[in-house]
Amino acid sequence: MQLSRIIIGDGLNIENIVKKKNLKLTSARRELLEILFYAKNPLSYEDIKENIVMDKATFYRNIIKFEEENIINSFESNDKKRYFEIFQQPHPHFVCSRCHNIECIKERLDFNLEGYLVENIILKGLCKVCNKTSI
Amino acid sequence: MQLSRIIIGDGLNIENIVKKKNLKLTSARRELLEILFYAKNPLSYEDIKENIVMDKATFYRNIIKFEEENIINSFESNDKKRYFEIFQQPHPHFVCSRCHNIECIKERLDFNLEGYLVENIILKGLCKVCNKTSI
DNA sequence: ATTATAATGCGACTAAGTTGCATTAAAGTT
DNA sequence: AACTTTAATGCAACTTAGTCGCATTATAAT
Ligand SMILES: [Mn+2]
Ligand SMILES: [Mn+2]
Ligand SMILES: [Zn+2]
Ligand SMILES: [Zn+2]
């Protein structure tokens, strides 16, 4: 909710975004973008499918389009699934190996890795909640 | 080659390792561990299957056993595949989005992420080689 | 050598994601 | 408002990594 405001700015709604990219605004696309805009964490197809009425193929074809147009970005977790979120500033993600939650990490992780170009960071382990309750 | 010496120490061969964990030493297990010991990078089933004679189910069942016994560890890349390596000190892995190579990162990446327990780090982007040749 | 049990091969299966194709709906044009 | 063009959709079939049940076989202990 706040996220979508921050990213798309005032006056930019789903209609504007989709049309600005020369995509047709279908009900499938509106549904999908609404869910992603209001999500606090990245979501997989499995997370979303209960709340949408489109076919799986339509889902993935729209996901591909949205990624091409930089409306969303995605990454693979360690559960064989791909997770999607509205495109933001690149930031790390944390995958909890106990509760399987996936969180966006706001903190900057500063390290230097000479010669490489790091585009994406995925951390796995215990999230704050699970780490506390693990004695 | 050097790696396996370092980890398992002098006098510790595949026979010892397997028997120490109360696993039966089968030809499938010997084959699999030999390949993993001599590998410079983590390997997937697809990487290995040409060089082994066991069934896919046997491969994965042994992988599971080896992981339970901390003989190997594994992680998922962004190509939907799982990669396996002989268990070592935890260290990050770099997945190149251009050449799709997977490298073990020796450098320590020091950062603090308050409250979390980071068990595993996967970096994605351009490896040294691809980063140089990308202008 | 006999035996108990763990490991194996085979085939069927699951789940994420992809593709071809005929149909439908969006958006522009008259 | 009807017409047309083209993109988007649903459906079904497919691909691929990994899993599982079950009958058979190999390992290692006795
Ligand atoms: Mn995020
Ligand atoms: Mn490694
Ligand atoms: Zn957790
Ligand atoms: Zn590379």
Side-chain angles (χ1 to χ4, degrees), chain B residues 71-82:
Chain B
I71 296 172
I72 69 168
N73 65 287
S74 77
F75 60 94
E76 272 191 34
S77 175
N78 58 345
D79 57 0
K80 299 189 210 78
K81 290 183 202 156
R82 185 159 281 277

Side-chain angles (χ1 to χ4, degrees), chain A residues 96-101 126-130:
Chain A
C96 182
S97 49
R98 184 172 297 178
C99 70
H100 303 107
N101 250 26
L126 296 183
C127 73
K128 283 182 179 177
V129 177
C130 293

Side-chain angles (χ1 to χ4, degrees), chain A residues 20-23 64-72:
Chain A
K20 198 169 277 188
K21 305 289 188 177
N22 291 317
L23 300 177
I64 289 166
K65 271 273 150 67
F66 292 161
E67 265 196 291
E68 284 171 2
E69 301 293 344
N70 288 315
I71 297 172
I72 68 167

Side-chain angles (χ1 to χ4, degrees), chain B residues 8 16 22 37 65-66 81 95 98 105 112 115 131 133:
Chain B
I8 63 177
N16 302 127
N22 291 317
F37 267 117
K65 269 273 150 66
F66 292 161
K81 290 183 202 156
V95 180
R98 183 171 297 178
I105 299 291
N112 63 325
N131 194 23
T133 63

